[in-house]
Amino acid sequence: MNPKLRDVAEHAGVSVRTVSNVVNDFRYVAPSTRERVQASIDALGYRPNMAARTLRRGRTGLVALVVPEIDSPYYAELAARTVRIAEARGLTVLIDQTDGDAERETQLLHGKRSQLVDGVLFSPWAVAPAELAARTDTVPLVLLGEHDGPAGVDHVVIDNVAAAHEATAHLLARGRRRIAAMGIQPWSLNATARQRLAGYRTALAGAGLPADPDLEVPVRHLHRADGHEAMLRLLDSPRPPDAVFCFTDELALGALRAAADRGVAVPGSLALVGFDDVEDGRFSVPALTTVSPDKSRIAELALDLLTDRTVAPRPPRSVIAPHRLVVRETS
């Protein structure tokens, strides 16, 4: 049988109201009394009725993080940082995976699970901007990542155009001239690839180099296997590149393996730059040059926007998180 507030009160020799004040972290409780009550709570194994507390407070203390792929190194690292930062703020994070499926993303966008949480951090791949704008669920939502068109919701992004420009300019500064861009997804509603392609093209144009369609490489997914396959095609082409800007580190790690399979020296004959700064890239041989989004800052900004919106209504905000180019051995 689960102990009740009255059992704790009798054990501690205080009133039920005093126990309730301790359980609800009411600040005007004497430290000695709080210690005595907490000792009784621990001794009896009392657990608060979370459903009742939720009804009284109107909040659950739960936040949903919705990502396409939890086994993606980038999203795994972002999730880990979000959980730690949320925990320091007294929040618990529930993680949901969509696999980039439009139907599942739409269900979550329009309120599935929302009765359980105080807010949602959402990184969609498949829903259209119009679907985002038509959202009717009132639970606070913060978008993570890049999406075309006004969504009418809070949004944390990085400047993908500037980041891709920096990555490509770095390769140009190393004397590379046949620079491929790997990661184009023309069928995707997510704007990330389009923005990174735009930054790549702008850097080439600034160096007086025309865009070459043969060097703009589409991939079905953003995984290592896709990078490996795409890199093999590039290396087997009549005029292979001397550098590749990969839109994710996973693609770059696959490309690095393909270069090894073909006996192509990196960075001697082929330079590589990735994007995401995942841990694997720091331990690859050679170590991967990459664009590093500040994942901790992304999590902080997203949680700031979410908790801020639970306090008072305000117009939607779009916040840019910082990034930097980390130069390692592949370039």
Side-chain angles (χ1 to χ4, degrees):
M1 182 175 178
N2 293 327
K4 303 186 184 315
L5 278 179
R6 185 173 300 280
D7 300 321
V8 176
E10 291 176 358
H11 189 275
V14 298
S15 68
V16 171
R17 179 177 290 277
T18 298
V19 176
S20 178
N21 287 342
V22 172
V23 168
N24 289 287
D25 202 25
F26 186 64
R27 57 181 173 174
Y28 299 114
V29 178
S32 59
T33 302
R34 187 182 297 277
E35 289 178 11
R36 189 162 75 253
V37 171
Q38 187 60 54
S40 295
I41 288 172
D42 295 340
L44 296 175
Y46 171 76
R47 293 293 179 268
N49 185 327
M50 297 306 296
R53 292 180 70 183
T54 295
L55 288 173
R56 287 195 300 271
R57 296 181 176 184
R59 295 184 187 174
T60 66
L62 302 176
V63 172
L65 173 63
V66 181
V67 297
E69 300 173 328
I70 195 60
D71 55 352
S72 159
Y74 172 78
Y75 287 112
E77 292 180 14
L78 178 63
R81 286 162 171 75
T82 302
V83 167
R84 284 195 291 269
I85 294 168
E87 185 177 31
R89 302 182 182 196
L91 300 170
T92 299
V93 178
L94 306 179
I95 300 175
D96 213 328
Q97 175 173 289
T98 66
D99 295 312
D101 178 73
E103 182 178 354
R104 183 162 178 76
E105 288 188 356
T106 300
Q107 288 176 348
L108 291 166
L109 183 68
H110 290 288
K112 184 180 180 182
R113 306 242 201 286
S114 63
Q115 72 276 14
L116 303 174
V117 298
D118 297 329
V120 180
L121 309 178
F122 191 25
S123 181
W125 273 0
V127 293
E131 190 77 31
L132 293 168
R135 179 177 184 262
T136 57
D137 186 30
T138 58
V139 171
L141 175 75
V142 177
L143 289 181
L144 306 175
E146 294 64 40
H147 307 276
D148 290 332
V153 295
D154 290 327
H155 200 174
V156 178
V157 302
I158 65 168
D159 190 337
N160 274 290
V161 176
H165 186 284
E166 291 168 29
T168 309
H170 166 72
L171 292 169
L172 289 164
R174 291 290 197 267
R176 310 294 171 150
R177 286 299 177 267
R178 281 191 57 76
I179 303 172
M182 181 189 295
I184 298 163
Q185 294 185 300
W187 51 84
S188 174
L189 293 173
N190 188 301
T192 301
R194 290 192 292 279
Q195 292 176 8
R196 292 178 188 176
L197 179 61
Y200 157 83
R201 286 174 172 173
T202 301
L204 291 183
L209 297 175
D212 183 345
D214 292 337
L215 294 176
E216 296 181 357
V217 186
V219 294
R220 184 62 191 169
H221 302 289
L222 302 172
H223 301 155
R224 295 174 182 85
D226 300 274
H228 184 270
E229 180 185 350
M231 190 72 248
L232 290 178
R233 292 199 308 268
L234 283 170
L235 292 175
D236 292 341
S237 65
R239 297 183 63 217
D242 59 9
V244 184
F245 167 45
C246 300
F247 290 3
T248 71
D249 278 358
E250 283 195 81
L251 289 173
L253 291 168
L256 185 60
R257 176 66 199 195
D261 290 345
R262 286 288 190 269
V264 175
V266 176
S269 300
L270 178 73
L272 290 173
V273 176
F275 204 116
D276 289 337
D277 194 18
V278 302
E279 188 175 20
D280 287 352
R282 297 167 216 164
F283 293 93
S284 63
V285 181
L288 184 63
T289 295
T290 185
V291 175
S292 178
D294 190 334
K295 303 180 194 76
S296 293
R297 188 60 181 148
I298 290 171
E300 288 173 351
L301 290 170
L303 288 167
D304 286 346
L305 290 172
L306 204 61
T307 53
D308 180 49
R309 186 166 284 281
T310 62
V311 174
R314 56 164 174 73
R317 294 175 56 199
S318 183
V319 182
I320 298 176
H323 70 270
R324 63 192 178 97
L325 181 67
V326 180
V327 179
R328 298 195 181 104
E329 297 166 349
T330 59
S331 64

